[in-house]
Each structure stands twice: as structure tokens, then as C-alpha cells.
Amino acid sequence: MNYEAVIGLEVHAQMLTDTKIFCGCSTKFGAEPNTQTCPVCIGMPGVLPVLNRKALEFAIRTGLATNCVISTYSRFARKNYFYPDLPKGYQISQYELPICEHGYIKIMVEGQIRKIGITRIHMEEDAGKNIHEGTGQYSFVDLNRAGVPLMEIVSEPDLRSPVEAVEYMKKLRAILRYLGVCDGNMEQGSLRCDANVSIRPVDEKEFGVKVEIKNINSFKFVEKALDYEIRRQIKVLKEDGKIIQETRLWDSGKGITESMRGKEEAHDYRYFPEPDLVPILVDQKWIDEIKASLPELPDIRRERFVSIYGLPENDANLLVSEKAIADWFENTVKLGGQPKAVANWIMGDLMKLLNAENKTIEECHLEPLRLVEMLKLVEQGTISGKIAKTVFEEMYRTNKTADEIVQEKGLVQISDSGEIEKTVDEVISKHPKEVERFKAGEEKLLGFFVGQVMKKTKGKANPQMVNELLKKKL
Ligand SMILES: [Zn+2]
């Protein structure tokens, strides 16, 4: 029997507000433990929370960008559970009346566009953090994170494979970053997700028993954890076992998911409306204002890159995945770079150099103008495509102009036919056997001769001239 996976994601995004959701404490990451707290966010009795207007605006922005309906009436609830990092015993979250509902985003998988439903987006406060490592016989609690505003973005169970789940996550991250409502930093936990996954026989309508995988904090782990879990569930069913409804944890070290708690131990949160916060009334005029202030989002930008610059869909999709990269591309083209050539240099050499140093494009000093200047040298035949790679890497490191680098390192392409002819003659006389084979009809040896000439000239010979001269002389 063939099975298909049914996946839904609950993504937690930390909002980029300066202060917490119900008090004025700073949300800055990495401060000394418990230095960014007050009676409200540590949950002292008798205090009153006040909603941060910026957090509400960010949630609305996100809802509008993901095609949601914005509720003009919503409210907060208390989600009751006891845990050391949540001293007041409940988390303030939205429950039956969330701020955004019924949206969708589009993802591209293997060149096909898929629409993934968004059930709801609600606001809530983050909990604190327990610290066990390196503390000997004690555990400590850091409440700097308590009260940091979160959005929980819940998808419909519309995803059918780990790859789709990753694409969805990447698209969501891109949108949040374009909007400036979340930095998307998964290493620091600003973006993390829980996945609900079940399997069912292909063509079956009914859902299988779902398993929840908690707290996955990288794209790689989303793919690996789901992949493992789907295979595990298929194995259980094939061996006539039963999938049990449970919560599992992804162990990235072992590369497996492990049971954390079963359904019977599941929390009963006893939600009830938060009595200390009034219901949220949002007027349509404000929603319209926020809508008018939205930036150009990745989908629209991708379409524009395809129609205006003639880029292939996949190139455009890759470039718009990060706003800064799309900006860099567009700046370079505006300065006179040929769009497809610029896209190739960004997606190839530039990405490779950035990845090798784990840097973002904002952290690199290379200016768009430098690439334009270099492309001109290639066009004019001053440097070969191969030399250009060396020049590009040097530009990336120093932001010197291509001209400077070419002069300094003596990289000018040799287009002097006399000089190339001399090298061609040398190569031919050094390889009599290959010459004979070539003459006997083994034409692909031409590549060998070209390679030898290039090697001798350190890649500087004009390839076209080398080809012509070799053909003439052989
Ligand atoms: Zn506070």
C-alpha cells in the first residue's frame, strides 16, 4: 500500500517590537538573566497587563500579507498550565477569537505553485527559560523572555511532504522579514515550529492519527524530523501496529523523534477569557492604513522579476527569498548589469562565498557597481569568464574595482595572436602522440589542447583565439 503524509505546521514567530507585549520591558536578546523584567512579566499578583499597540499592528500586518481576514473584535484568554518558566501559572494567549483567520500563502515546489491555507494567526506571550546546563545541582529560571510578543501562525493540514513543509516555512520567513515584523533568526529561536504529521493510504479522505513534533528550530531539522516521522509511521502500519496520538521530540543528535508524552498526559489548559484585558476592537480605517503601508511582497516581486527582467521563475524565486538579495540584484541591474548575468553571479559565486563564511549579503562589502564594472570587462574581452571568477572573489574580499585587480595581478586576457600562437606551437610540439590521434579523427582531443594552452597561460588566453589557432595548426 502507498501512503501519503498530511502535515500542518504551527509556527511561532517572535515579533520585532522594542518592548514586551503587556509591559514596557525590553525584548533585546542576550542580556544578563532577569535584567529585563518587571512585576507584570514575572507575574506578580495584582498587576495589570496593557496590550502593546505595535504588537497588534504587527499581527495585523502579517495577517494582511498572508491573505487573512482581520477580526475587528478579538480577545485574549488564559491558557492554564504550571511550569517553572511561567510563574503566574497561565499564559496569556488568544484562543477562540484570534486576530487573523482564513488566509493562505503560495509556495513553489518543483516549479509548481501550491496554495497552503492558514487557519489562524494569534498573539501570545512567550514564557521564560529554564537553565539546567552548567549549574551543578541547581536549576535556574531566566524571565527575560517572559512576555516577549509572539505570533502563532497555524497552517491547514495542506502540506504533503517534508519538502513542501520546508518551502512553506521559508516563504513564511521571507514574508515576515519583508514586513519587518520578525527577524526570522532560527538559531536564536525567533522562529520555531511544531509540526503535526499523520499518514493515510493514497486516495483515502480520512486523516490518520496525528503525532505532534515539538520545537523544531531549523529548515534542515524540519525536513529531517518529518522525513523520519513519516517513515516511522509507515513502518508501524506495515507491521500491523497502531499509531498512537502523542507528542514527540526531535533529537537532532540521534536523528530520530522520541516520545515525550502521550494523549492521556496531554495538558488540559482550561482556557477562559483573560479578565484583566479588554476585548480588542480594531477599526476598519486602521486596517486599511496598515494595508496601504505594506511593502512589495515576495510573490509580487517574483512576478515582476520574471516579467520585467525576463528571469526564469526559479531564478526569480531564489532571488526574492531574501529582501536584501533581491535589492542587491535590482540595484546591480539598475546600474547597467545584464539581468541574467547578474542573477547567475549572485546565485553562483556570491552565494557560495557568503555561505562559506556564514554571512548575509548585508554583511558583505561588495558594492553592486563592482559587479557591473567586472561584467563590462568580460563583455569587452579584457578578461575571460574563468579569470572573472578569480577577480570576483578578490572584489568580494576587498571591494577593489575589477580594473585595479586585473592590473595588480596581471590578469588581462591575452588577445595578442603572436603570443598565443607561440604557446599553441609549444603545446603541439610537446604532444606528438595526441596530434596523431587528432589527425586520425579523434576530434574531441581539441579540448585537451585548449586545456593545455589555458594551463600554460594561467587561463589568460582568449579562448576563442586559442580554438581558432589550434584548428588551423592541427
Ligand atoms: Zn515587564
Side-chain angles (χ1 to χ4, degrees):
M1 195 186 295
N2 282 326
Y3 292 95
E4 74 171 356
V6 175
I7 303 164
L9 294 186
E10 292 168 14
V11 175
H12 282 92
Q14 184 181 318
M15 293 194 224
L16 268 179
T17 54
D18 295 331
T19 53
K20 294 185 178 179
I21 187 165
F22 301 121
C23 64
C25 293
S26 168
T27 54
K28 214 160 175 268
F29 181 83
E32 282 289 305
N34 298 308
T35 53
Q36 295 173 172
T37 55
C38 73
V40 175
C41 57
I42 64 176
M44 299 296 277
V47 297
L48 286 176
V50 178
L51 178 60
N52 180 339
R53 187 182 165 93
K54 203 84 200 166
L56 175 60
E57 183 190 326
F58 281 4
I60 296 174
R61 268 171 93 75
T62 309
L64 290 169
T66 53
N67 310 292
C68 285
V69 178
I70 310 300
S71 314
T72 47
Y73 180 91
S74 65
R75 76 176 168 210
F76 283 100
R78 284 190 184 182
K79 180 178 179 181
N80 294 278
Y81 64 95
F82 186 75
Y83 205 63
D85 62 8
L86 188 71
K88 65 188 176 212
Y90 59 86
Q91 179 190 27
I92 304 178
S93 176
Q94 292 195 300
Y95 182 52
E96 85 286 28
L97 290 170
I99 183 74
C100 315
E101 283 181 290
H102 313 302
Y104 66 87
I105 60 175
K106 290 178 184 168
I107 57 169
M108 197 190 268
V109 180
E110 288 163 6
Q112 300 287 323
I113 289 179
R114 293 250 295 120
K115 205 165 146 180
I116 308 300
I118 289 178
T119 317
R120 57 188 275 144
I121 300 176
H122 66 249
M123 298 176 279
E124 63 187 29
E125 59 178 343
D126 207 346
K129 201 170 77 182
N130 295 318
I131 304 168
H132 310 292
E133 285 96 30
T135 56
Q137 54 181 314
Y138 302 105
S139 282
F140 294 96
V141 180
D142 174 11
L143 293 174
N144 281 350
R145 213 176 61 187
V148 164
L150 299 180
M151 276 183 281
E152 184 171 333
I153 304 157
V154 181
S155 86
E156 292 287 313
D158 287 345
L159 300 157
R160 290 291 169 271
S161 70
V163 172
E164 284 189 6
V166 171
E167 282 310 308
Y168 168 84
M169 197 68 191
K170 283 186 173 167
K171 187 49 150 311
L172 204 53
R173 179 176 183 271
I175 292 171
L176 295 170
R177 283 172 55 84
Y178 269 68
L179 294 172
V181 298
C182 170
D183 65 16
N185 189 329
M186 299 181 84
E187 274 164 40
Q188 289 179 5
S190 325
L191 194 70
R192 47 194 198 257
C193 93
D194 302 339
N196 287 304
V197 51
S198 62
I199 57 166
R200 65 182 175 193
V202 174
D203 301 327
E204 168 85 55
K205 283 260 174 329
E206 205 114 321
F207 290 155
V209 177
K210 80 175 176 193
V211 167
E212 184 183 34
I213 311 172
K214 278 265 178 215
N215 257 330
I216 317 176
N217 64 354
S218 83
F219 295 133
K220 198 174 76 193
F221 293 160
V222 169
E223 184 161 2
K224 284 189 168 175
L226 286 171
D227 197 54
Y228 175 87
E229 182 57 24
I230 292 164
R231 279 188 286 118
R232 185 190 72 85
Q233 292 187 16
I234 291 174
K235 189 161 173 278
V236 170
L237 289 190
K238 287 210 159 141
E239 287 167 0
D240 285 330
K242 253 183 131 178
I243 312 278
I244 40 171
Q245 190 179 339
E246 62 181 343
T247 302
R248 297 176 75 87
L249 278 179
W250 167 247
D251 184 326
S252 57
K254 293 190 207 152
I256 58 170
T257 63
E258 281 178 317
S259 186
M260 181 176 132
R261 59 169 182 255
K263 192 188 177 187
E264 53 285 358
E265 303 158 60
H267 292 295
D268 170 15
Y269 294 121
R270 295 172 293 117
Y271 282 100
F272 62 84
E274 166 62 60
D276 290 342
L277 283 159
V278 291
I280 306 157
L281 299 172
V282 179
D283 70 72
Q284 190 58 44
K285 200 173 139 247
W286 192 38
I287 297 175
D288 293 340
E289 273 168 33
I290 296 172
K291 191 165 196 172
S293 77
L294 291 185
E296 183 184 40
L297 292 164
D299 280 346
I300 308 281
R301 201 165 198 192
R302 186 192 70 237
E303 283 163 25
R304 192 162 61 76
F305 279 13
V306 171
S307 63
I308 292 190
Y309 302 123
L311 291 182
E313 284 272 355
N314 278 331
D315 290 18
N317 199 40
L318 211 131
L319 291 174
V320 303
S321 64
E322 281 284 350
K323 185 172 176 295
I325 290 175
D327 289 344
W328 207 90
F329 166 80
E330 221 161 5
N331 289 334
T332 312
V333 171
K334 277 184 189 142
L335 290 168
Q338 197 273 324
K340 181 58 182 151
V342 172
N344 287 347
W345 279 97
I346 294 177
M347 295 186 301
D349 294 61
L350 183 54
M351 295 274 200
K352 207 166 75 191
L353 290 164
L354 289 171
N355 285 341
E357 294 179 313
N358 205 5
K359 269 191 181 170
T360 65
I361 202 159
E362 291 113 313
E363 289 167 314
C364 101
H365 302 297
L366 182 62
E367 293 167 49
L369 183 63
R370 297 285 171 265
L371 178 54
V372 177
E373 292 162 346
M374 189 195 84
L375 288 172
K376 279 212 182 92
L377 293 186
V378 177
E379 239 170 75
Q380 292 160 358
T382 309
I383 55 172
S384 65
K386 204 173 158 208
I387 290 291
K389 284 182 167 292
T390 312
V391 173
F392 186 83
E393 188 165 346
E394 186 71 13
M395 290 197 315
Y396 170 86
R397 304 217 179 281
T398 61
N399 195 33
K400 283 183 184 168
T401 68
D403 254 331
E404 270 177 284
I405 294 164
V406 166
Q407 295 308 329
E408 265 175 30
K409 304 204 161 206
L411 295 171
V412 177
Q413 177 160 266
I414 305 168
S415 296
D416 172 348
S417 61
E419 201 175 326
I420 296 179
E421 196 169 352
K422 216 178 85 195
T423 317
V424 166
D425 287 342
E426 274 171 35
V427 166
I428 289 177
S429 67
K430 239 181 109 182
H431 299 280
K433 271 187 201 152
E434 283 81 3
V435 174
E436 248 172 66
R437 278 163 59 200
F438 180 80
K439 285 187 171 153
E442 219 177 306
E443 283 186 17
K444 62 175 185 209
L445 274 173
L446 185 67
F448 164 79
F449 288 110
V450 173
Q452 290 297 315
V453 174
M454 287 312 220
K455 209 166 142 191
K456 267 185 136 21
T457 59
K458 299 198 176 76
K460 288 189 283 183
N462 181 325
Q464 217 179 332
M465 291 176 76
V466 173
N467 263 293
E468 278 164 21
L469 275 165
L470 274 168
K471 275 184 199 156
K472 205 168 85 188
K473 300 218 167 216
L474 281 166

